[in-house]
Each structure stands twice: as structure tokens, then as C-alpha cells.
């Protein structure tokens, strides 16, 4: 259960990062609200997961899910490039997290 909560919390990290950009410095109400709710849920889920998952592994998974999710959202919605080098870097992040999980 903790692993599922951790991955969902990582996805919520991508949500709050995206909402933070959309809030334009907290000048837009609804993106700011989404940011706050997603941030609290993301941190709460991370805290819950870290009760049973080691800190280093849990935090790395949470960040990696958020980084990859945010990069994919940026590429899909913001026109950020997704060239081969960028894809390779994201694959390396995922590979590192899988390695940490396997060593857990």
C-alpha cells in the first residue's frame, strides 16, 4: 500500500508543479488552489509512505515520479522539446529508481 501511495504522491508532485506555473506567481485563483491541494496531498502521501519505506529510496522514487511526470506534461502542454537526449536522461532517472527499488 505504501508504494502505491508513494507513486500517487509523486504524480501529485507533477500536478502541483504544473499548477504552480499556471498560477503565474499565485495571481490566478484556481491554479493556486490546485497547487495548494496537490502540494498538501503529495507531502502527506510522502509522509505516510516513509513510515514503512526507507527515506532514501522513498524520496528518490517520489522525486523521480514527479520529475518524469512534470517533464512529460511540459513536453505535451508547454511545447518543451523532447529530443533523444532528454528522453535518455528521463530513462536514466527511471532506471536509477528501479535500481533503488530492487536493492530495497
Amino acid at each position: 500500500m505504501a508504494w502505491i501511495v508513494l507513486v500517487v504522491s509523486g504524480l501529485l508532485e507533477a500536478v502541483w508543479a504544473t499548477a504552480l506555473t499556471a498560477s503565474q506567481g499565485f495571481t490566478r485563483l484556481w491554479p493556486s488552489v490546485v497547487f495548494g491541494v496537490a502540494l498538501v496531498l503529495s507531502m502527506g502521501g510522502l509522509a505516510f509512505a516513509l513510515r514503512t519505506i526507507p527515506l532514501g529510496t522513498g524520496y528518490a522514487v517520489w522525486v523521480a515520479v514527479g520529475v518524469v511526470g512534470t517533464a512529460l506534461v511540459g513536453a505535451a502542454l508547454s511545447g518543451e522539446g523532447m529530443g533523444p537526449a532528454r528522453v535518455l536522461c528521463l530513462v536514466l532517472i527511471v532506471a536509477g529508481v528501479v535500481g533503488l527499488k530492487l536493492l530495497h
Side-chain angles (χ1 to χ4, degrees), residues 61-81:
V61 169
W62 180 75
V63 169
V65 171
V67 165
V68 171
T70 303
L72 293 175
V73 168
L77 300 180
S78 300
E80 296 174 13

Side-chain angles (χ1 to χ4, degrees), residues 11-101:
L11 293 172
L12 286 168
E13 182 186 3
V15 170
W16 68 252
T18 303
L20 181 60
T21 299
S23 76
Q24 298 178 359
F26 301 115
T27 60
R28 298 180 61 215
L29 176 63
W30 291 113
S32 298
V33 170
V34 170
F35 165 81
V37 170
L39 179 67
V40 168
L41 291 174
S42 179
M43 292 292 174
L46 176 63
F48 173 82
L50 291 180
R51 293 183 349 192
T52 56
I53 297 171
L55 172 64
T57 303
Y59 186 71
V61 169
W62 180 75
V63 169
V65 171
V67 165
V68 171
T70 303
L72 293 175
V73 168
L77 300 180
S78 300
E80 296 174 13
M82 189 55 75
R86 190 168 176 151
V87 170
L88 175 62
C89 290
L90 292 174
V91 167
L92 290 172
I93 291 170
V94 172
V97 168
V98 169
L100 286 173
K101 169 65 173 113

